[in-house]
Amino acid sequence: MKILPSIGFIIVFVLNAVVYQLGMQTPFIEGLAKGKLPSDLRQILIAVAALVFLFVEYWLLTGLLPVNLMLLLIAAIFLAQLLYIVIGAVAGYTLPEKSEKVAALSFMWGVQQAVQHPILRAIPTAFGYIYAIVTVAGSLLTYWYFPIGDREALVRIAVFVFTVRQITGILISLIEIWPVVISPYLDDDLRNSYLGGSFSNIVSSTIILLFPVWLLDQQGNTLLGQLPPFWLLLSVPILVFFIGTVIPFLVGVNSYRTQANLLLNWRRQWVNDVLAIVKLPLGDRRSMNIEMYLQNLGVELKERRSNNTLDTFYRTLINEEIQEIQEIKEIEQPDGTQSIQVDSAASTEALVTSQQNPADSGAPTLASQSAATVRTASQATPPKPVAQRQPDNASQKQLINIINRNIGKLAQWDIQIGHISRLNELMLIVPDGKSQDISGYLERRLATMDAEAKSFSSTKNVLAGTSLTLISGVMVFLFQTYQKQIVSLVGNLVGMNLQP
């Protein structure tokens, strides 16, 4: 008699995973590769489908299907998603012009982490297998060990079906978002998006945990010993979110602001010093001083390249496509009569710099290249597009396509890549100061940097972090204040009393 429900449970469990993969995971990855995020409606429907599947799994092994409670939880999921959309509108990451940036950066970051830190990407997969084994084995063993309808079995199966999934999801979420929210370099819109998405997941987990927590409260003292109060158990996901996500997020915001100011101040001081030098009379003294500052600039470039894993990853992939890790590549001039040799370590930076908006940098046309970059010719052309050789890894191929599509935006999305790009621009132009007047260009750069300093604002970040903290605190307060009413409501919706 128990064999058919057991088979049905396994089928529904697998179906739940397949629907999530086909309905959310695959479209999500494909959408990121195209620079698009999945629609809010798709995310809501997948969340609702997952909830329904969980209750069906539970019903197959217990015969208990609280439809009224399930409908209430579905309505709560809709409200949670609406809250995410509102917070996204305040923080700005759900606006159409921001969505492509968030999608592209998410995909770039994910591929980079998978290639450079495969163990970090293997951990979520391992957790997924652990969840599947624990849930299926624990639920079925409990089902076959206890008589059908046994009260203790109702609680144990609920723990395996509902609670293990949510705990696993929370752990995977923390592993995936930590590197982003604490990064001092990545764009704030991506950080805010990850924070909002994590909050939405935590709220959904809290909603789903309402049923098993109620069951534990009804019979937990005889099953697992003395348990914390109902409101505290229900608040665990929110408390984990605050400690594991909000606090690192605020640390990341401050680190980002500090790092952005440090990089900007370095460039400002360097340009200020060089501006004073280029106003000296032409001669050896002026040339020697400019060369000394160019050497200082080269040291900063080398240090920033070596410290920036994202930039290193981008450059490695593109250089593999351009020249298969050759140190020197010849680039023909438009007339086909001359060729110049470009250091491959700087080729990607030149590509980024060449595609920036000149109005943003205040720079004239790139009249000449730095001696450190160009070995011959007085006028350089932008590097050629990425070669046609396709990488073996499909994700890396998609990543290169995204980089090509957004190459001019990377300097705006990652402040350290932006810093490297602007330093490279200075390396290309400032050598002209040995024989020409470039003071106008340097003055425009200073004006641009002053405007950039004023534009730095963490208001949206603080607002997002503060608002989610307040909402989390209000939820915990409501759980504590209305604990009896919530327990009574769930009991009425379930339609039974499990207290011994």
Side-chain angles (χ1 to χ4, degrees):
M1 185 67 180
K2 289 186 175 182
I3 187 67
L4 292 180
S6 299
I7 295 175
F9 172 82
I10 295 174
I11 292 175
V12 175
F13 183 89
V14 173
L15 185 61
N16 193 358
V18 171
V19 169
Y20 176 79
Q21 179 69 31
L22 297 180
M24 190 66 185
Q25 192 72 12
T26 300
F28 183 77
I29 294 175
E30 293 176 350
L32 291 182
K34 298 176 182 178
K36 297 180 181 179
L37 290 172
S39 67
D40 295 325
L41 179 59
R42 177 187 291 273
Q43 296 184 64
I44 293 174
L45 293 178
I46 294 300
V48 170
L51 179 65
V52 172
F53 279 127
L54 290 179
F55 273 101
V56 172
E57 292 172 19
Y58 185 74
W59 167 73
L60 285 169
L61 299 186
T62 65
L64 178 61
L65 182 63
V67 177
N68 293 332
L69 176 62
M70 185 172 64
L71 293 176
L72 179 64
L73 299 185
I74 289 174
I77 287 177
F78 273 91
L79 292 177
Q81 187 63 33
L82 178 62
L83 182 62
Y84 166 76
I85 295 172
V86 171
I87 294 174
V90 174
Y93 58 80
T94 57
L95 299 177
E97 59 269 23
K98 303 288 187 180
S99 295
E100 182 177 1
K101 177 203 298 186
V102 171
L105 281 177
S106 296
F107 189 82
M108 291 178 189
W109 181 267
V111 175
Q112 183 254 338
Q113 290 289 299
V115 173
Q116 294 188 337
H117 307 287
I119 189 171
L120 292 179
R121 305 307 302 173
I123 291 176
T125 302
F127 273 124
Y129 283 119
I130 292 173
Y131 154 68
I133 293 172
V134 171
T135 298
V136 173
S139 299
L140 291 179
L141 288 174
T142 301
Y143 175 64
W144 283 86
Y145 181 80
F146 290 94
I148 296 177
D150 184 270
R151 290 186 175 185
E152 186 171 340
L154 294 178
V155 179
R156 288 180 181 272
I157 293 175
V159 170
F160 285 119
V161 171
F162 294 96
T163 307
V164 174
R165 177 189 178 97
Q166 305 316 312
I167 293 175
T168 305
I170 291 172
L171 292 176
I172 292 175
S173 176
L174 289 176
I175 293 170
E176 290 180 339
I177 71 171
W178 254 58
V180 174
V181 297
I182 65 175
S183 171
Y185 302 114
L186 286 177
D187 187 88
D188 278 341
D189 289 317
L190 181 63
R191 192 189 327 272
N192 291 339
S193 175
Y194 272 56
L195 178 71
S198 177
F199 178 74
S200 177
N201 291 336
I202 288 296
V203 172
S204 297
S205 295
T206 303
I207 292 170
I208 294 174
L209 285 175
L210 181 62
F211 179 57
V213 169
W214 175 81
L215 288 173
L216 285 171
D217 181 72
Q218 293 290 292
Q219 194 162 331
N221 291 344
T222 60
L223 176 63
L224 301 175
Q226 188 66 35
L227 290 174
F230 170 86
W231 69 270
L232 187 57
L233 282 175
L234 195 58
S235 302
V236 167
I238 298 173
L239 297 175
V240 171
F241 166 74
F242 178 76
I243 297 173
T245 304
V246 174
I247 293 179
F249 169 83
L250 296 176
V251 171
V253 168
N254 289 326
S255 298
Y256 178 84
R257 294 275 298 160
T258 300
Q259 191 64 43
N261 281 312
L262 285 174
L263 298 179
L264 181 61
N265 288 336
W266 194 99
R267 297 196 304 273
R268 179 189 283 147
Q269 184 63 51
W270 192 91
V271 171
N272 254 323
D273 292 345
V274 173
L275 178 61
I277 293 172
V278 299
K279 291 182 179 180
L280 294 173
L282 293 175
D284 291 342
R285 181 182 177 186
R286 174 168 162 176
S287 296
M288 289 175 60
N289 284 328
I290 289 178
E291 188 62 34
M292 180 182 68
Y293 272 89
L294 285 174
Q295 291 176 5
N296 177 254
L297 183 64
V299 171
E300 175 71 5
L301 270 170
K302 182 178 180 181
E303 180 181 352
R304 291 301 170 183
R305 288 173 188 152
S306 63
N307 291 338
N308 189 352
T309 56
L310 282 174
D311 176 69
T312 301
F313 184 62
Y314 299 154
R315 287 190 290 111
T316 299
L317 282 181
I318 292 182
N319 285 334
E320 285 177 352
E321 291 296 287
I322 294 175
Q323 57 196 4
E324 297 188 9
I325 315 298
Q326 295 177 0
E327 292 185 1
I328 302 296
K329 176 185 176 181
E330 288 192 350
I331 302 179
E332 293 185 356
Q333 294 285 47
D335 58 8
T337 61
Q338 294 183 347
S339 66
I340 61 175
Q341 291 182 328
V342 180
D343 184 350
S344 67
S347 62
T348 303
E349 288 143 16
L351 181 60
V352 174
T353 302
S354 68
Q355 298 194 27
Q356 289 186 58
N357 185 352
D360 293 340
S361 63
T365 58
L366 300 183
S368 66
Q369 300 283 355
S370 160
T373 307
V374 181
R375 310 298 169 88
T376 62
S378 60
Q379 246 188 341
T381 57
K384 291 181 178 180
V386 173
Q388 296 302 312
R389 183 182 65 81
Q390 301 298 339
D392 296 331
N393 188 291
S395 295
Q396 293 186 27
K397 174 184 174 182
Q398 292 173 328
L399 175 61
I400 292 173
N401 291 335
I402 291 177
I403 292 176
N404 287 339
R405 189 166 62 243
N406 299 287
I407 193 71
K409 302 174 184 177
L410 291 180
Q412 303 171 20
W413 292 352
D414 186 302
I415 60 173
Q416 190 156 242
I417 291 179
H419 181 64
I420 292 172
S421 175
R422 291 175 177 89
L423 294 186
N424 188 67
E425 177 189 310
L426 292 171
M427 184 69 81
L428 298 176
I429 295 176
V430 170
D432 286 352
K434 297 176 182 179
S435 58
Q436 302 177 32
D437 181 13
I438 62 169
S439 58
Y441 161 72
L442 295 177
E443 288 169 351
R444 288 193 294 273
R445 289 301 302 137
L446 285 174
T448 301
M449 285 187 280
D450 289 338
E452 186 179 350
K454 293 179 181 179
S455 68
F456 281 145
S457 174
S458 61
T459 302
K460 290 182 178 180
N461 302 77
V462 174
L463 182 59
T466 303
S467 62
L468 292 182
T469 300
L470 291 175
I471 293 172
S472 300
V474 169
M475 291 177 66
V476 174
F477 171 77
L478 292 176
F479 292 157
Q480 182 179 14
T481 304
Y482 297 100
Q483 172 178 276
K484 293 182 179 179
Q485 290 86 341
I486 295 174
V487 171
S488 177
L489 174 62
V490 175
N492 293 331
L493 294 173
V494 173
M496 61 185 302
N497 187 350
L498 296 180
Q499 290 185 345

